[in-house]
Amino acid sequence: PELLMDEQCDSMPYDKRWEFPRYRLKLGIQLGAGCFGRVVKAEAVGVKSSGKTVKTVAVKMVRSTTNVAAMEALVSELKILIHLGSHLNVVNLLGACTKKISKGELLVIVEYCRFGNLQTYIFNQRSNFINLVDEFGNIRAENEEFHIKTESVSMGFNFEKSYENSSNIDCERSPENPPDSPSFWQYQQDPDVTLTRSISTHDLISWSYQVARGMDYLASKKVLHGDLAARNVLLADDGVAKVADFGMAKKMYYEDNYEKTSQGLMPVKWMAIESLTDRIFSTQSDIWSYGIFLWELFTLGKVPYPGMGGGHQLIKSIQNGYRMEKPNNAPNLFGEMMTNCWQTDPKLRPTFSQIEEIHLWSPGIDN
Ligand code: ADE
């Protein structure tokens, strides 16, 4: 019989070319912490063909001789990242320190994303959000702001940055993070950076487009993410959004559908109906999660299914056909997109490349 998917992932070899000397890595403040590990900011000398220059990076680590699951998740994430190759809308691998892995230390070096995770970021921006969607779900094209903003829409705009004195305080798990978040890694915004530019509907559309592109790239590499949510999208310079956290990702080999054998912590509110009922995961179940991600985006970081717990009752409701409504700030096009992502039959959901294409019809994207 075929190997189980997890076993196949374990048998993927580690490519030594990714090894980075530990002494050239200077660890700094903590960016995020989860149940089993943490992410810290760091300076790396000469990482990934940057010559002898110093580069700011993010380092994911597990330091544990006791928690096997956490170590395995990070090893699997490293292998997935190596397999993936790089894409603008994915948090790319830069290197790894695996020498002390037998002593329980593994460091995975990835791109640093200055503005932290999208969920916390949009949640904190809600008081100065510029909504360009009217009560009928149309984007207000006649708005002055619209004409000014169209030039800076899409990927090319610049954030104005203002730096405060950086204090080396470790940040706590932020209260805005969904309480039922299953992620090992709760991302926070770097405390020494604040933004001054207001975000608008156009930024939300740009981020939804970029995440669809990142996910389409994953799908093209036959990788399913398994935990797509606003907390797992990071914001880099110039408004670039990157899909992160591949701790739950799986490489699909023979089948398109991956059936999960072991049950860990599950992101119930982001999970597709077939994942909840039959533990089936596929690129089409990532599409469902993408629909939930859109809802988070246009509610500026609310927890999905407000007022509902994440347990049996929710699963029952979804089985009975209950779906969330279009958020007020979402253009109609995106309301329809959410509804389609939440089709009971996975085959009726759109693909990531179709979702990308739909974005190009939206007035929020220049092309
Ligand atoms: N928090 C977690 N991962 C991060 C990253 N890659 N960049 C910035 N903040 C992070």
Side-chain angles (χ1 to χ4, degrees):
E2 294 163 9
L3 287 168
L4 288 173
M5 300 298 171
D6 275 331
E7 290 165 357
Q8 291 200 28
C9 187
D10 289 345
S11 69
M12 280 162 69
Y14 169 66
D15 186 339
K16 282 282 186 318
R17 279 173 294 184
W18 287 101
E19 192 65 25
F20 186 73
R22 178 66 184 82
Y23 70 91
R24 283 203 263 154
L25 196 60
K26 197 172 125 210
L27 302 182
I29 60 160
Q30 184 165 309
L31 296 168
C35 317
F36 305 122
R38 55 202 198 106
V39 181
V40 301
K41 192 175 172 179
E43 304 289 331
V45 182
V47 75
K48 211 187 174 196
S49 63
S50 61
K52 285 232 156 59
T53 59
V54 181
K55 190 180 168 76
T56 304
V57 297
V59 177
K60 271 188 137 177
M61 58 176 80
V62 179
R63 217 217 148 90
S64 160
T65 38
T66 49
N67 198 313
V68 183
M71 179 59 86
E72 279 175 359
L74 193 54
V75 169
S76 135
E77 177 161 10
L78 173 59
K79 289 180 173 178
I80 295 272
L81 287 170
I82 290 173
H83 164 78
L84 261 184
S86 78
H87 186 275
L88 177 68
N89 302 116
V90 169
V91 175
N92 295 299
L93 181 68
L94 299 173
C97 304
T98 67
K99 288 275 154 68
K100 288 194 195 155
I101 199 163
S102 57
K103 293 201 176 77
E105 188 184 89
L106 172 61
L107 306 180
V108 175
I109 309 163
V110 296
E111 291 174 314
Y112 172 67
C113 303
R114 197 186 285 283
F115 302 104
N117 86 72
L118 198 52
Q119 191 273 332
T120 305
Y121 180 71
I122 54 183
F123 193 91
N124 292 337
Q125 291 292 311
R126 50 180 44 203
S127 54
N128 30 25
F129 175 67
I130 302 165
N131 176 37
L132 301 173
V133 174
D134 67 18
E135 67 211 282
F136 306 107
N138 299 316
I139 296 182
R140 276 187 273 125
E142 298 313 315
N143 197 307
E144 265 265 81
E145 220 128 44
F146 179 83
H147 293 294
I148 300 162
K149 289 274 151 90
T150 36
E151 295 147 34
S152 57
V153 151
S154 195
M155 277 120 263
F157 64 73
N158 275 302
F159 284 118
E160 284 170 38
K161 285 152 248 168
S162 70
Y163 294 82
E164 287 161 5
N165 263 345
S166 88
S167 50
N168 277 23
I169 330 157
D170 278 5
C171 19
E172 297 283 303
R173 178 192 284 247
S174 88
E176 294 86 38
N177 275 316
D180 50 359
S181 157
S183 186
F184 289 173
W185 315 96
Q186 302 284 317
Y187 294 148
Q188 280 114 27
Q189 191 181 320
D190 187 339
D192 62 7
V193 179
T194 44
L195 284 185
T196 49
R197 177 190 168 287
S198 297
I199 61 164
S200 78
T201 302
H202 290 308
D203 299 310
L204 304 183
I205 294 171
S206 169
W207 292 326
S208 74
Y209 177 62
Q210 294 181 59
V211 169
R213 295 191 67 159
M215 291 301 296
D216 193 20
Y217 181 72
L218 254 67
S220 76
K221 297 279 176 177
K222 296 240 178 280
V223 167
L224 70 92
H225 189 284
D227 195 12
L228 178 59
R231 64 180 171 275
N232 289 332
V233 173
L234 298 178
L235 261 190
D237 282 320
D238 303 325
V240 173
K242 288 168 179 279
V243 178
D245 206 324
F246 297 85
M248 296 211 193
K250 293 282 176 286
K251 169 96 176 73
M252 295 173 283
Y253 285 85
Y254 300 120
E255 293 168 281
D256 274 354
N257 284 349
Y258 174 75
E259 192 171 327
K260 206 166 162 49
T261 45
S262 60
Q263 224 163 354
L265 284 166
M266 293 276 107
V268 169
K269 287 187 170 182
W270 283 260
M271 279 163 72
I273 188 164
E274 71 277 10
S275 312
L276 292 167
T277 57
D278 303 309
R279 289 178 293 160
I280 291 170
F281 292 81
S282 65
T283 294
Q284 292 314 93
S285 60
D286 275 349
I287 292 279
W288 179 297
S289 309
Y290 179 84
I292 305 286
F293 161 77
L294 286 179
W295 188 92
E296 289 181 279
L297 202 54
F298 288 102
T299 58
L300 298 173
K302 278 194 185 166
V303 178
Y305 304 99
M308 296 173 79
H312 255 62
Q313 224 31 60
L314 176 70
I315 299 174
K316 271 244 168 69
S317 308
I318 292 170
Q319 275 182 305
N320 290 336
Y322 175 79
R323 300 291 187 270
M324 288 190 288
E325 283 174 21
K326 178 186 91 66
N328 288 334
N329 288 346
N332 290 329
L333 192 63
F334 289 86
E336 282 166 37
M337 206 187 279
M338 287 175 215
T339 305
N340 289 329
C341 289
W342 302 331
Q343 293 267 11
T344 302
D345 182 353
K347 288 196 286 294
L348 297 179
R349 296 172 203 156
T351 64
F352 282 115
S353 66
Q354 285 167 344
I355 288 170
E356 262 175 79
E357 211 171 298
I358 293 166
H359 277 83
L360 302 178
W361 307 341
S362 155
I365 293 281
D366 287 341
N367 59 323

